[in-house]
Amino acid sequence: MTEQFDFTTSNEQADHETMPISGATSVFGEDVRADAKQIIARYPESRSALLPMLHLVQSVQGHVSAGGIQFCAEQLALSTAEVSAVATFYTMYKRKPCGQHLVSICTNTMCAALGGDAIYRKVSEHLGVGHNETAGTPGEEGSVTLEHAECLAACDLAPVLQVNYEYFDNQTPEQALELVKALQRGEKPAPTRGPALSDFRGAERQLAGFFDDLESTVTGSSAAVETLRGAQLANERGWTAPSMPDDAELPPLPEKK
């Protein structure tokens, strides 16, 4: 059985979410507003741009503040209630300032059974923080926000964790601890897959759709050896799936009731 974690919202977070927002959008300068216009131009309906807009806000502030919600509402002609409903629904939008690095440890079934709970416990004890809490001053070098993730979609490489959404596969408690210590020292260890490690705000800018250095962003293997093993065996042994003829009859669509 996996461990149970405390999801209780702290008074600190509640206070943060009710903070006054007068003048709070001034942090979003002309460059950020220009980026916002680029995001909005991607969609036929401006409200569809809300998700990447929230990532843009996090790339600037390291979280979604009350001012960030107001900024999105103004840019998209939405109410702050509509923006808040989305920002509080998805766990990827942080309501408290995030550290330089976000460490997400998978504690879902497969990872938990293979050591995910032990990894989370080891890292949590070292940092002295729990779920959605930050060791160090948020945003400053070496600061780390810890969270447990329900699933990171890498069961074939369990147990896994992510740093700023980049994968570190087949982890042990000792490996994870050394990784976190390196982050605290200001280092950026290479992920198992994907590009070189960014910081949280840099990753959020990419999630908003801005790749300022595209060449380095696409550098690195995007798939693990284990994931490609089936395709490799099929190629070595000449296995192929039967082809589908061009004139194959498709099954009828079910009647609508």
Side-chain angles (χ1 to χ4, degrees), residues 34-63:
D35 287 343
K37 290 179 181 178
Q38 285 190 49
I39 294 174
I40 294 169
R42 300 172 192 161
Y43 300 89
E45 296 289 340
S46 62
R47 67 184 299 123
S48 299
L50 179 54
L51 296 184
M53 283 282 286
L54 288 167
H55 284 299
L56 179 65
V57 165
Q58 290 200 139
S59 76
V60 175
Q61 293 189 298
H63 71 301

Side-chain angles (χ1 to χ4, degrees), residues 55 58 62 91-94 96-105 123 127 130-135 139-140 142-149 152 161-168 179-180 183 197-201 203-204 207:
H55 284 299
Q58 290 200 139
T91 58
M92 60 192 176
Y93 300 122
K94 306 304 178 188
K96 294 188 293 185
C98 201
Q100 181 189 23
H101 298 294
L102 172 66
V103 174
S104 311
I105 299 175
V123 172
L127 294 175
H131 176 60
N132 269 343
E133 295 179 345
T134 301
E140 291 190 1
S143 57
V144 175
T145 296
L146 175 66
E147 69 174 2
H148 75 84
L152 295 181
L161 63 83
Q162 289 180 338
V163 178
N164 307 325
Y165 306 114
E166 299 296 344
Y167 282 97
F168 290 81
L179 169 61
V180 169
L183 296 174
L197 197 62
S198 176
D199 57 20
F200 176 71
R201 296 192 187 194
E204 285 299 306
L207 289 171

Side-chain angles (χ1 to χ4, degrees), residues 104-120 152-162 167-176 179 192-193:
S104 311
I105 299 175
C106 185
T107 56
N108 212 331
T109 307
M110 183 64 75
C111 282
L114 294 175
D117 286 344
I119 291 172
Y120 181 90
L152 295 181
C155 297
D156 52 338
L157 300 164
V160 301
L161 63 83
Q162 289 180 338
Y167 282 97
F168 290 81
D169 304 318
N170 295 312
Q171 292 291 293
T172 65
E174 292 70 29
Q175 288 174 320
L179 169 61
T192 308
R193 296 171 276 142

Side-chain angles (χ1 to χ4, degrees), residues 184-237:
Q184 290 181 296
R185 292 193 298 265
E187 301 171 16
K188 293 183 179 179
T192 308
R193 296 171 276 142
L197 197 62
S198 176
D199 57 20
F200 176 71
R201 296 192 187 194
E204 285 299 306
R205 181 164 175 79
Q206 293 177 8
L207 289 171
F210 296 99
F211 299 91
D212 302 317
D213 185 0
L214 183 59
E215 184 175 348
S216 65
T217 302
V218 298
T219 300
S221 174
S222 60
V225 173
E226 294 89 340
T227 304
L228 299 177
R229 183 57 177 155
Q232 181 184 354
L233 285 172
N235 184 59
E236 291 173 353
R237 301 178 184 183

